[in-house]
Amino acid sequence: MTPLKLGVNIDHAATLRQARGVAYPNLPEIARLAEQAGAHGITIHLREDRRHIQDADVYTLRKTLTTRMNLEMANNPDVLRVALDVVPDEVCLVPERRQELTTEGGLDAAGQLDALRPTVRALAAQGTQVSLFVAPDRRQLDAAAALGAPYVELHTGAYANAAGDALRRELDALHEAAAYAATLGLKVNAGHGLTMDNVNPLLDIPNLDTLNIGHSIIAHALFVGIGQSVRDMLAAIAR
Ligand code: PXP
């Protein structure tokens, strides 16, 4: 099996900064330390409400990152303008609700084919690799394939929150969805709610390319520093 890649989501370093409206912690420096520790890419989510990552962060990080920039965004014209200007290596289209604590569900790609098509096309035309953040559900994978997105990111939130029999069911759904995605020619990433303690059962999911992990890495960094936190996660996802 090829090694799994790690995309480090640094949104919550920005959350800490925005909590006080100050200039620290310095995001490019956090990203640099994560990259130096072996992160394969840096993920940031420019939310409609700009609660953590700001437009200026996207522009600055575009210049400073030495690995890949994965920009998570809703299908929103205001954020799309930034993505078309900055040309991230990757964009992951996600659903957004203002009141949610985090991205709580997958994108209803099947229900929004017409709205998503021009966005996927515009991003692909500039060479950005498009991914759709979807639940492990065949209907959504069919929609991603119909839209011509090369990647899906499977939402692991339900798995991360489950216990007992439900945990087994969620794990089976992720395995099944990844196998089905392969039959459609889709490449598969996964993320949300993953920690060093719950990630291991995901490692043998077929056809898995990258795990995007943020909150637990930033939290663990409070104890060990960002570089060591990334190294610890890389060790946890080694296969
Ligand atoms: N992948 C996607 C598409 C997300 O929206 C998020 C949360 O921003 C993550 C991965 C990372 O989730 P977490 O911070 O829970 O690791």
Side-chain angles (χ1 to χ4, degrees):
M1 259 196 260
T2 51
L4 264 180
K5 288 184 269 188
L6 176 64
V8 174
N9 181 316
I10 61 169
D11 290 349
H12 296 300
T15 299
L16 195 58
R17 182 191 63 190
Q18 296 308 114
R20 281 292 175 90
V22 291
Y24 63 86
N26 179 299
L27 245 48
E29 186 59 8
I30 298 278
R32 189 185 70 77
L33 291 168
E35 289 178 320
Q36 212 172 50
H40 300 90
I42 299 294
T43 295
I44 50 177
H45 184 172
L46 186 64
R47 292 187 68 101
E48 290 169 5
D49 62 9
R50 307 301 198 266
R51 68 172 71 156
H52 37 53
I53 297 294
Q54 305 297 304
D55 295 39
D57 294 322
V58 185
Y59 285 90
T60 306
L61 288 164
R62 190 67 188 123
K63 291 199 202 99
T64 61
L65 293 186
T66 57
T67 58
R68 292 169 73 75
M69 171 184 278
N70 174 30
L71 180 69
E72 297 173 354
M73 53 173 269
N75 186 23
N76 160 310
D78 171 43
V79 183
L80 180 61
R81 245 189 312 278
V82 176
L84 294 177
D85 199 24
V86 167
V87 194
D89 301 287
E90 303 166 26
V91 159
C92 182
L93 291 169
V94 304
E96 254 183 53
R97 281 186 293 125
R98 285 282 159 114
Q99 300 312 321
E100 68 187 358
L101 287 178
T102 177
T103 316
E104 282 161 10
L107 187 69
D108 180 17
Q112 298 172 43
L113 283 174
D114 289 342
L116 288 166
R117 196 171 287 110
T119 300
V120 171
R121 283 211 183 122
L123 291 166
Q126 67 177 7
T128 295
Q129 176 190 293
V130 180
S131 175
L132 302 182
F133 190 42
V134 293
D137 167 346
R138 284 188 176 219
R139 236 178 99 243
Q140 301 300 345
L141 298 170
D142 287 336
L147 285 165
Y151 275 81
V152 286
E153 179 167 332
L154 296 177
H155 197 311
T156 52
Y159 160 75
N161 291 329
D165 288 349
L167 181 74
R168 188 70 247 168
R169 276 197 301 278
E170 294 299 339
L171 195 55
D172 288 348
L174 290 165
H175 275 259
E176 199 277 326
Y180 183 65
T183 69
L184 300 174
L186 291 165
K187 301 201 186 77
V188 179
N189 299 329
H192 207 279
L194 299 180
T195 68
M196 288 193 289
D197 292 331
N198 69 16
V199 76
N200 186 268
L202 304 185
L203 302 187
D204 62 348
I205 287 181
N207 185 36
L208 192 56
D209 184 277
T210 299
L211 292 174
N212 286 308
I213 308 180
H215 190 264
S216 70
I217 291 178
I218 300 297
H220 184 50
L222 293 174
F223 296 97
V224 299
I226 185 69
Q228 189 58 44
S229 184
V230 170
R231 280 190 290 277
D232 287 347
M233 187 57 84
L234 282 167
I237 70 166
R239 59 183 190 185

